[in-house]
Amino acid sequence: MEMAAVAAAAAGSSNVEFIRARSDKREYRRVVLPNALEILLISDPTTDKAAACMEVGVGSFSDPEGLEGLAHFLEHMLFYASEKYPGEHEYTKYIVEFFIKPLMSQDAVLREIKAVDSEHKKNLLSDGWRMYQLQKHLASEDHPYHKFSTGSWETLETKPRGRGLDIRLELLKFYENYSANLMHLVVYGKGSLDCIQGLVERLFSDIKNTEQRSLKCPSDPLSEEHLQLLVKALPIEEGDYLRIIWPITPSIPFYKEGPCHYLSHLIGHEGEGSIFHTIKELGWAMNLMAGESTDSTEYSFFSVSMRLTDAGHEHMADIVGLIFKYIALLKEDGIHEWIFNELAAINETEFHYQDKVHPISYVMHTVSSMRLFPPEEWLVGAALPSKYAPQRINMILNQLSPERVRIFWESKKFEGSTSSAEPWYNTSYSVENVAPSVIQQWIQKAPTEKLHLPKPNIFVPKDLSLKEVHEKATFPTVLRKTPLSQLWYKPDMLFSTPKVHIIIDFHCPLSSHSPEAVVSTDLFVDLLVDYLNAYAYDAQIAGLFYSIYLTSVGFQVSLGGYNDKMRVLLNAILEKIANFEVKPNRFSALKETSVKDYQNFSFRQPYSQASYYVSLILEDKKWLVAEKLEALAKLESDSFAKFLPHLLSKTFLECYVQGNIEPSEAESVVQEIEDTIFNSPNSLFKSMSPSQYLTKRVIMLENELKYYYQIEGLNQKNENSSVIQYIQVHQDDAALNIKLELFSQIASQPAFNQLRTVEQLGYITSLSLRSDYGVLALKVVIQSTVKDPLYLDGRIDEFFKMFESKIYELSDKDFKRNVKSLIDSKLEKFKNLWEESHFYWGEIEAGTLKFDRVDSEVAILRELKKEEFIEFFDRYIKVDAPQRRTISVQVFGGNHSAEFNKAVAETDPPKTYRITDIFGFKRSRPLYSSLKGVTFSTVCCVQERRRHEDATSRINTTPTQIIYTA
């Protein structure tokens, strides 16, 4: 103990009384090394993962003039190599060295500029990047906010070379800004604080402290000429957006008073009387977000953003007028202490009952607090405003004035009427002056609908007590089963939190049998969410979350959060579902938005389009986007109302309940669900027989045959092309699962290194696993502007050929190390209730019901021989393997139209098959059996199945042997 105390003193350890959640059992220590590096140590004996995050206070605002993107480029370069560990990507073992002596070789510099440029080209057609840069462009040129931050070949190679600059020397010069006194580090581990402290002292003490000063940018990036503006911008995608922005005093210095938290709660509220509820009912907007955003502690913005309908586009002035009317209402009505106290109580409950997250997420979140808050508040940051200060709220409120406003309005309707172009992304725009007198006219003309403050929140939880668990349950069990529904239940055995997770899966087989059925079900779900929004918004504020979303054979309702008021929210949702009615005005607004979303599929990144085509080829019931768009365009509110009863006339409910809830209450909940859904007078839902149960199935590819699907990208203005090479391996099987996962783990980094880093084929490059309804595969993705998809596909094949020797030469030591790493990954504990329930629900939803999957697969891994792994590679993965089954989906972008024409004209090589008619091809292929085929009629609990399993845990999971008896 004495030695530990001496070490602590030498390193500048200090005893800090951290403000922490009541449920937090971790230990913390603040340490300052002699080089002035400030560190937070976290000891968690229960963790199975360690994590560290370093924040360096040097970013794009520090880019030298004329070297835009240098800070971003440096971040890329640090991941290459260092003096002590010169092999590229050895940083995965010795990551600390790139803060001490990075190499930055000339060859690596030139290659990585291409990667930065590829990343930039990926962003060129992204409206998010384009509009963000436009806001920065219309700011003071001498302020860092104005800068272009990501960099490109032009800014990092062409222009510097033209000025006689050596970019590598500029990079090394810029790296001198990386001083220990500008860094903050969080280290999270299993060991004691003394042990972790010894580690960080040894690893991080050599980082140089060159006494750099942190950048202090001017406080205001906007001069008077950048205010009172209306900016009309032309986006790439369909959809109109409106952003009203004001520069404000940053609220970080007043984090205990939370002025922006109070104002964003009211201005962004979605309940009755709010801005959004009003403009939504008028049919003008689809969503609304309000709040503070900032890149610096020196300045900040408050913004109100929304997606407009076509009608909303025509009423832009009225919408802006309504927003200013509401701001005036807040000023006139005064600041209310009860609202502040309600928010403070909600925040306090949320903080003290926060869910544990993965260590890497925790350290990333925490390190950002170290720069902004005193040490005792590093764990809480700005999460607990506790000081009621109406004058501070009024200070910000007064800054939301017509004199300080900037309005950004995006629409394709501005085509041909813009007069300027932003230089980096070439975004077309025009600027008009909007004087305060004009805003006053808008306010006077705006509708006179009743705007008012929200009422007290009925969903704030009061009862946070924990239910007593009488019967221990390791896995979910079937608690209740009727012809209408089935209930899976599991009590909370791990987290001791007053929360519950409820999933209701509406299995409606008629919902996917045609494009019309799919778009109708989608609209039904959208309308449900729309109808519930005003009522359920308070629930979300109070920590009760719900979602309703489309599935492959119906839709799903998911609820999570504090169990106290869960049934109140659930009953409201069920009531809306059972008594659904079509409101023509909302139908029209949501249909309009949905049509635009389908149209925007053309503007997706090529790799995303390629992934869609893979799914289209594999799935037996998958409709073309064009077919769904055509069906949606023809759909009207009256035909939709007539179609719904047919759509929902066959329904079965699969329910899952887990958390702080007793078995009898879970049964009561599902009985209530059943009664409301099937027995309400106006309900459209009817029961179905077992023979009507429908599941998605997957196409089985042919051994030793490579399928090609080649198509031009839907947006030929996008220069990027993409390829996905999909290698289908097997249907869920424990022994094959672990071999495929092991190969992916071993090969993913070398594939990235070879295809992305060495060959510089494209910024988006990955090798990973893919699962389609239990059919597992390997996929390699590349997106590129420099090479066409056929060439990229050939390079993927060459990688696999090159990698054969790596597999065959794999040492016993490396094999065992990789096996141990995979075992450790599988044995990682669930961090919270949602992780655990999603795992178990995933098994139920897939129909596999392998709740003990981790134990069974780990048991096989422990016994796995290297020879077995190599035999698996030889049989399924390597090029020309006897059971290799491959599809290469190739999307040709605007840079490669000539290569596309050449490719489709070429004769197919041996052992290849060109897919020209996707649906004809699918009809010619057999299907994998459904893992969920028996779920409806013959499910029993897992304990029953386990009696039939082999004692060695080598579970055979081929479809013919998944047999359950009721």
Side-chain angles (χ1 to χ4, degrees):
M1 287 298 294
E2 188 175 336
M3 289 182 65
V6 171
S13 172
S14 63
N15 294 321
V16 175
E17 198 66 38
F18 294 99
I19 299 171
R20 62 169 76 193
R22 285 192 289 268
S23 57
D24 190 354
K25 308 303 181 192
R26 293 167 287 215
E27 293 185 319
Y28 299 88
R29 179 183 294 168
R30 174 182 178 261
V31 170
V32 181
L33 297 184
N35 60 3
L37 175 61
E38 195 169 23
I39 305 172
L40 175 64
L41 311 178
I42 306 174
S43 171
D44 181 0
T46 67
T47 189
D48 38 31
K49 289 279 186 181
C53 184
M54 175 85 85
E55 183 181 84
V56 184
V58 181
S60 60
F61 280 11
S62 299
D63 283 344
E65 192 66 35
L67 289 172
E68 295 87 354
L70 191 64
H72 179 215
F73 181 37
L74 175 58
E75 171 240 315
H76 274 245
M77 286 304 304
L78 290 175
F79 284 82
Y80 260 87
S82 64
E83 189 173 81
K84 190 173 181 182
Y85 307 105
E88 289 182 5
H89 295 288
E90 284 192 23
Y91 74 90
T92 54
K93 300 175 184 174
Y94 304 106
I95 197 167
V96 178
E97 281 298 305
F98 67 52
F99 291 110
I100 299 172
K101 197 72 175 177
L103 280 185
M104 302 194 206
S105 67
Q106 186 65 41
D107 178 54
V109 164
L110 290 172
R111 277 191 276 149
E112 204 59 22
I113 291 175
K114 293 178 182 177
V116 171
D117 188 61
S118 177
E119 184 178 356
H120 171 60
K121 285 178 176 173
K122 171 184 71 70
N123 299 335
L124 280 175
L125 298 179
S126 164
D127 283 329
W129 282 100
R130 292 163 65 85
M131 297 307 161
Y132 176 56
Q133 188 62 43
L134 180 57
Q135 290 172 38
K136 300 204 301 176
H137 177 65
L138 296 173
S140 300
E141 291 186 14
D142 59 351
H143 195 286
Y145 175 71
H146 178 79
K147 292 182 177 181
F148 167 58
S149 60
T150 53
S152 65
W153 183 263
E154 179 188 11
T155 67
L156 296 171
E157 169 58 23
T158 306
K159 285 186 175 179
R161 185 177 294 277
R163 292 162 53 200
L165 297 178
D166 183 329
I167 194 65
R168 179 177 177 272
L169 294 180
E170 295 299 322
L171 201 62
L172 291 169
K173 189 190 304 180
F174 187 78
Y175 178 73
E176 293 173 6
N177 293 311
Y178 272 48
S179 174
N181 69 304
L182 296 183
M183 298 178 182
H184 293 91
L185 173 68
V186 181
V187 180
Y188 189 118
K190 193 181 186 74
S192 68
L193 289 173
D194 289 341
C195 177
I196 300 172
Q197 181 167 334
L199 179 70
V200 298
E201 288 171 4
R202 188 168 70 252
L203 293 177
F204 293 93
S205 292
D206 289 341
I207 297 176
K208 290 181 180 178
N209 178 10
T210 55
E211 298 289 346
Q212 296 290 324
R213 299 180 64 181
S214 59
L215 177 73
K216 290 288 184 185
C217 65
S219 60
D220 197 343
L222 307 177
S223 59
E224 285 189 11
E225 66 181 289
H226 303 119
L227 302 175
Q228 300 179 28
L229 298 184
L230 170 60
V231 182
K232 296 178 180 177
L234 186 63
I236 297 294
E237 297 189 5
E238 295 290 340
D240 292 10
Y241 291 87
L242 186 64
R243 294 178 175 87
I244 298 94
I245 303 171
W246 297 266
I248 61 167
T249 303
S251 63
I252 279 292
F254 319 112
Y255 62 96
K256 290 190 177 180
E257 299 161 356
C260 283
H261 184 54
Y262 180 96
L263 290 174
S264 63
H265 167 68
L266 295 177
I267 295 172
H269 207 280
E270 298 181 18
E272 290 187 6
S274 67
I275 296 169
F276 177 64
H277 187 261
T278 303
I279 59 178
K280 190 190 91 166
E281 291 300 302
L282 289 165
W284 294 349
M286 300 308 301
N287 57 32
L288 184 145
M289 291 166 286
E292 181 185 22
S293 62
T294 184
D295 305 303
S296 164
T297 56
E298 307 303 318
Y299 66 87
S300 196
F301 301 103
F302 192 95
S303 64
V304 182
S305 306
M306 67 199 76
R307 182 174 183 174
L308 302 178
T309 61
D310 288 343
H313 180 88
E314 301 303 319
H315 288 274
M316 182 278 296
D318 293 323
I319 293 169
V320 175
L322 269 171
I323 291 169
F324 276 105
K325 263 190 179 177
Y326 192 83
I327 291 170
L329 168 69
L330 297 182
K331 291 178 181 178
E332 292 162 12
D333 210 42
I335 308 305
H336 292 266
E337 189 169 7
W338 74 264
I339 296 178
F340 182 88
N341 290 339
E342 182 181 271
L343 288 173
I346 289 171
N347 288 338
E348 186 172 9
T349 302
E350 182 180 356
F351 177 72
H352 286 296
Y353 290 97
Q354 62 184 279
D355 296 313
K356 204 170 183 181
V357 296
H358 284 262
I360 188 63
S361 300
Y362 191 65
V363 297
M364 288 174 68
H365 169 76
T366 306
V367 77
S368 60
S369 293
M370 295 176 69
R371 177 172 45 88
L372 300 173
F373 305 104
E376 61 272 15
E377 297 181 10
W378 282 349
L379 307 181
V380 63
L384 291 180
S386 56
K387 184 180 177 183
Y388 178 60
Q391 74 281 5
R392 196 70 67 195
I393 299 171
N394 275 318
M395 178 190 77
I396 302 295
L397 190 58
N398 289 330
Q399 293 175 355
L400 308 185
S401 68
E403 289 76 15
R404 299 170 58 81
V405 76
R406 286 155 56 94
I407 303 170
F408 288 81
W409 188 11
E410 305 161 35
S411 176
K412 298 276 269 190
K413 299 178 181 71
F414 298 141
E415 185 98 51
S417 63
T418 54
S419 55
S420 303
E422 187 278 319
W424 298 108
Y425 291 83
N426 200 34
T427 304
S428 297
Y429 72 97
S430 60
V431 179
E432 302 172 16
N433 179 256
V434 183
S437 58
V438 174
I439 299 282
Q440 289 301 328
Q441 292 174 18
W442 292 356
I443 294 171
Q444 291 166 10
K445 286 174 58 183
T448 57
E449 270 74 14
K450 182 67 174 172
L451 295 170
H452 61 79
L453 298 182
K455 296 174 182 175
N457 192 331
I458 64 168
F459 288 101
V460 176
K462 306 295 183 189
D463 181 5
L464 297 168
S465 61
L466 298 179
K467 314 279 186 183
E468 188 176 346
V469 180
H470 299 287
E471 291 187 23
K472 311 299 182 188
T474 307
F475 299 131
T477 56
V478 176
L479 205 59
R480 180 181 185 275
K481 188 172 187 306
T482 74
L484 302 176
S485 70
Q486 179 165 267
L487 166 62
W488 292 88
Y489 167 78
K490 187 183 182 302
D492 177 17
M493 304 282 294
L494 299 176
F495 307 107
S496 300
T497 184
K499 298 178 182 180
V500 68
H501 190 195
I502 298 174
I503 298 172
I504 313 160
D505 187 68
F506 287 74
H507 190 99
C508 309
L510 299 179
S511 67
S512 60
H513 77 284
S514 69
E516 290 78 11
V518 172
V519 298
S520 295
T521 310
D522 203 0
L523 260 180
F524 172 71
V525 167
D526 288 345
L527 285 164
L528 277 175
V529 174
D530 187 75
Y531 296 167
L532 283 160
N533 189 69
Y535 176 80
Y537 184 75
D538 270 349
Q540 296 183 53
I541 291 172
L544 265 178
F545 302 96
Y546 80 100
S547 58
I548 308 175
Y549 47 90
L550 197 67
T551 66
S552 60
V553 285
F555 66 99
Q556 223 169 80
V557 176
S558 177
L559 300 92
Y562 304 111
N563 54 274
D564 183 29
K565 303 294 175 62
M566 180 66 74
R567 291 188 76 163
V568 179
L569 176 60
L570 177 59
N571 289 340
I573 294 171
L574 294 172
E575 193 66 29
K576 277 285 187 275
I577 292 174
N579 299 298
F580 183 83
E581 59 175 322
V582 180
K583 299 177 182 177
N585 64 325
R586 296 312 299 156
F587 172 87
S588 298
L590 286 158
K591 174 188 168 181
E592 176 194 304
T593 302
S594 190
V595 165
K596 290 176 182 177
D597 288 342
Y598 278 122
Q599 291 171 337
N600 285 334
F601 176 76
S602 299
F603 301 108
R604 279 196 201 170
Q605 291 286 345
Y607 77 91
S608 179
Q609 293 183 22
S611 182
Y612 157 78
Y613 291 123
V614 172
S615 297
L616 192 64
I617 291 168
L618 291 174
E619 295 177 25
D620 65 327
K621 286 286 189 294
K622 183 87 174 178
W623 308 105
L624 288 166
V625 167
E627 291 176 313
K628 293 192 281 189
L629 183 56
E630 183 182 3
L632 185 60
K634 294 176 181 176
L635 195 63
E636 299 300 334
S637 61
D638 54 349
S639 59
F640 174 67
K642 291 174 184 175
F643 189 50
L644 273 181
H646 168 72
L647 203 65
L648 307 174
S649 62
K650 308 295 180 188
T651 301
F652 180 77
L653 305 180
E654 187 103 52
C655 304
Y656 183 82
V657 177
Q658 178 174 339
N660 188 41
I661 185 169
E662 294 173 346
S664 58
E665 188 182 357
E667 290 190 75
S668 167
V669 165
V670 174
Q671 180 64 62
E672 193 169 353
I673 293 170
E674 216 178 82
D675 290 342
T676 307
I677 294 301
F678 292 105
N679 300 326
S680 292
N682 301 322
S683 180
L684 305 174
F685 294 86
K686 307 296 178 190
S687 65
M688 70 184 211
S689 65
S691 64
Q692 295 167 323
Y693 200 84
L694 179 70
T695 56
K696 282 277 191 175
R697 295 173 66 186
V698 175
I699 299 297
M700 185 182 291
L701 303 178
E702 189 173 330
N703 291 344
E704 295 189 276
L705 192 60
K706 186 170 187 178
Y707 299 92
Y708 285 89
Y709 181 69
Q710 296 167 322
I711 190 168
E712 286 190 287
L714 297 175
N715 176 22
Q716 285 295 293
K717 290 182 180 178
N718 193 325
E719 298 177 357
N720 289 279
S721 293
S722 186
V723 65
I724 292 182
Q725 192 174 116
Y726 166 94
I727 305 169
Q728 190 178 74
V729 181
H730 66 285
Q731 192 169 38
D732 188 42
D733 173 280
L736 291 174
N737 290 351
I738 58 104
K739 293 171 187 174
L740 183 61
E741 289 178 52
L742 187 60
F743 177 80
S744 177
Q745 176 180 285
I746 292 171
S748 59
Q749 183 60 38
F752 179 86
N753 184 49
Q754 180 63 32
L755 301 172
R756 153 74 154 74
T757 305
V758 176
E759 299 188 33
Q760 284 294 320
L761 296 177
Y763 176 73
I764 295 175
T765 304
S766 67
L767 180 152
S768 60
L769 297 178
R770 174 174 170 136
S771 176
D772 297 86
Y773 305 102
V775 176
L776 276 74
L778 202 66
K779 68 171 182 180
V780 183
V781 180
I782 305 177
Q783 180 164 296
S784 177
T785 56
V786 295
K787 296 294 183 181
D788 69 274
L790 197 59
Y791 178 89
L792 300 176
D793 186 64
R795 297 316 303 161
I796 294 171
D797 283 346
E798 287 304 311
F799 166 76
F800 279 111
K801 290 175 183 176
M802 176 273 293
F803 204 63
E804 283 182 34
S805 61
K806 304 289 185 184
I807 294 294
Y808 299 147
E809 295 165 9
L810 193 64
S811 68
D812 291 339
K813 181 181 177 182
D814 281 344
F815 175 74
K816 289 175 181 176
R817 179 176 55 81
N818 275 287
V819 167
K820 182 181 183 305
S821 176
L822 185 55
I823 288 173
D824 290 345
S825 175
K826 285 185 171 293
L827 291 177
E828 189 174 348
K829 299 168 187 172
F830 297 120
K831 298 296 181 289
N832 51 58
L833 182 70
W834 324 118
E835 272 192 16
E836 185 187 24
S837 61
H838 277 116
F839 172 80
Y840 290 131
W841 172 249
E843 294 291 330
I844 295 166
E845 191 172 39
T848 45
L849 306 183
K850 288 192 225 168
F851 300 140
D852 57 353
R853 177 183 295 276
V854 170
D855 291 340
S856 63
E857 292 187 351
V858 165
I860 298 173
L861 264 172
R862 294 191 194 281
E863 301 297 323
L864 183 66
K865 303 288 191 296
K866 185 174 74 171
E867 293 73 24
E868 295 175 298
F869 174 67
I870 293 173
E871 189 269 336
F872 166 82
F873 172 77
D874 285 343
R875 178 178 293 182
Y876 295 102
I877 304 297
K878 77 172 185 178
V879 177
D880 298 327
Q883 293 188 39
R884 196 183 210 252
R885 294 169 288 175
T886 313
I887 300 174
S888 175
V889 171
Q890 303 173 6
V891 176
F892 288 74
N895 271 11
H896 303 120
S897 55
E899 288 86 345
F900 172 74
N901 294 327
K902 182 181 177 184
V904 296
E906 287 182 349
T907 306
D908 296 339
K911 292 188 176 182
T912 65
Y913 181 94
R914 187 189 304 272
I915 301 171
T916 53
D917 174 6
I918 288 178
F919 295 96
F921 165 72
K922 291 202 286 189
R923 287 191 290 269
S924 72
R925 295 302 309 154
L927 300 172
Y928 280 97
S929 60
S930 171
L931 293 171
K932 201 175 181 182
V934 295
T935 302
F936 175 76
S937 57
T938 57
V939 169
C940 71
C941 63
V942 173
Q943 286 86 337
E944 178 70 18
R945 175 173 64 83
R946 293 183 72 199
R947 290 188 298 148
H948 302 287
E949 291 173 355
D950 187 278
T952 63
S953 295
R954 283 183 175 269
I955 305 167
N956 190 322
T957 59
T958 52
T960 56
Q961 294 192 338
I962 302 181
I963 300 172
Y964 312 113
T965 55

